[in-house]
Amino acid sequence: MLSVRPLFHARVDVGEVLSIGHTPLGERRVIDILGGTFLGERLAGRVRPGGADWQVIGVDGTAHLDARYTLETDEGALIQVRSQGLRHGPPDVLARIAAGEVVDPVAYYFRTALRFETAAASLDWLNRILAVGVGARRARAVELDVHEIR
C-alpha cells in the first residue's frame, strides 16, 4: 500500500536564470542554488550554497528539472539531494512566474522526485527512500513540501 509521510518544507534560494540557448532538446538553462532552509519533524537545517538546477524548457513551455544540491542538518550532517521533476501550466501562468510574480501554485503543476545520499549513520534511512516534492516557484526561491513515499 502506498502512503506518504511529511519529511520537510524547504525554501531554496536561487540565482538568476542563465540561458545557454536553444539546443536540440529545448532551451537549456542553469539556475544556481544560493542557500536556503529546510524544516521538518525529523530533519531541519540549511541548504548549502552550491549546486544548481539544470533545466530544459520544452517547446510547450514545460520545464524539465534536474537539481542537485546539499543539505546540512542542524547537527552538521550533510545530505546530497538529487531532485528531478516537471513544472508546467497554461502559457499565461508560466509567463507570470517568469516575470517574478507570486502565482498560486494551484494554477500550475510542479512536482519533483527526490533521492538522498548521506554518510551520517543517524540518517542512513534517507539512503533507502524515495520522496516527492510539491513545489512553488517564487521570484528568487523555490519552495518544496517534501514527502517520504512509504
Side-chain angles (χ1 to χ4, degrees):
M1 184 63 140
L2 183 69
S3 64
V4 296
R5 179 178 178 188
L7 192 54
F8 58 79
H9 174 84
R11 179 180 172 90
V12 181
D13 300 323
V14 297
E16 297 292 327
V17 174
L18 173 64
S19 179
I20 293 175
H22 291 276
T23 71
L25 298 177
E27 181 192 2
R28 173 64 67 179
R29 304 182 338 171
V30 180
I31 302 171
D32 290 331
I33 293 173
L34 306 176
T37 59
F38 66 100
L39 178 63
E41 184 179 304
R42 296 175 285 164
L43 294 170
R46 69 182 181 119
V47 178
R48 293 193 49 110
D53 185 5
W54 291 269
Q55 302 180 350
V56 174
I57 308 301
V59 295
D60 65 351
T62 298
H64 301 266
L65 313 170
D66 186 6
R68 292 184 187 202
Y69 52 96
T70 304
L71 304 177
E72 182 177 357
T73 68
D74 289 340
E75 293 76 30
L78 298 175
I79 304 163
Q80 183 67 42
V81 178
R82 180 159 187 195
S83 177
Q84 295 180 302
L86 296 170
R87 187 180 66 235
H88 61 79
D92 63 311
V93 170
L94 297 178
R96 290 175 51 215
I97 292 170
E101 290 183 33
V102 175
V103 178
D104 186 338
V106 172
Y108 56 98
Y109 184 92
F110 183 173
R111 306 289 186 272
T112 64
L114 296 94
R115 294 288 312 270
F116 306 101
E117 185 177 355
T118 184
S122 63
L123 299 175
D124 183 60
W125 57 273
L126 284 170
N127 294 311
R128 296 183 308 277
I129 68 166
L130 296 173
V132 293
V134 176
R137 182 63 159 100
R138 305 299 182 212
R140 299 297 301 219
V142 169
E143 293 187 21
L144 287 174
D145 286 315
V146 178
H147 294 79
E148 174 187 359
I149 297 182
R150 300 175 64 161

